[in-house]
Amino acid sequence: MSIKYRGMTFSGYNKCKRTPNHPSKSHAVLAKEGSNIKLIRFGQKGVTGDRTMTKRAKSFKARHGKNIAKGKMSAAYWANKCKW
């Protein structure tokens, strides 16, 4: 099942994908919560996340903790899930 939204093709809702042609954001996701659907772009281009809990990852999670807690409709939630 592929979904076309604003010229982009997604493999489904709530599945992040890389955006190599976007000038500033590294990933995008078509977030769906209830009946709300939103295109969310996140992640700085050219910067890698860190899957292990290093100081850098801990700092990201501490700095963005409030925004991550907002849930699926926030960019910080998806950056935490896909990159960190």
Side-chain angles (χ1 to χ4, degrees):
M1 164 180 125
S2 65
I3 302 165
K4 287 191 86 71
Y5 187 81
R6 292 188 186 176
M8 292 181 70
T9 304
F10 293 89
S11 60
Y13 295 110
N14 299 327
K15 294 182 180 179
C16 53
K17 69 178 248 176
R18 294 184 55 86
T19 54
N21 296 327
H22 195 272
S24 61
K25 298 299 177 186
S26 65
H27 288 76
V29 67
L30 192 57
K32 183 175 183 178
E33 193 168 56
S35 62
N36 296 336
I37 298 172
K38 185 177 180 182
L39 174 62
I40 299 174
R41 296 181 189 279
F42 61 93
Q44 185 179 350
K45 191 71 147 199
V47 177
T48 59
D50 196 350
R51 288 284 185 186
T52 58
M53 283 305 287
T54 60
K55 282 185 176 180
R56 193 167 151 244
K58 287 177 185 174
S59 293
F60 174 85
K61 290 172 188 286
R63 192 169 57 247
H64 296 288
K66 281 186 177 179
N67 295 325
I68 292 168
K70 289 180 182 177
K72 290 181 182 178
M73 295 308 219
S74 73
Y77 172 88
W78 290 105
N80 182 52
K81 186 173 180 176
C82 295
K83 293 193 82 163
W84 297 92

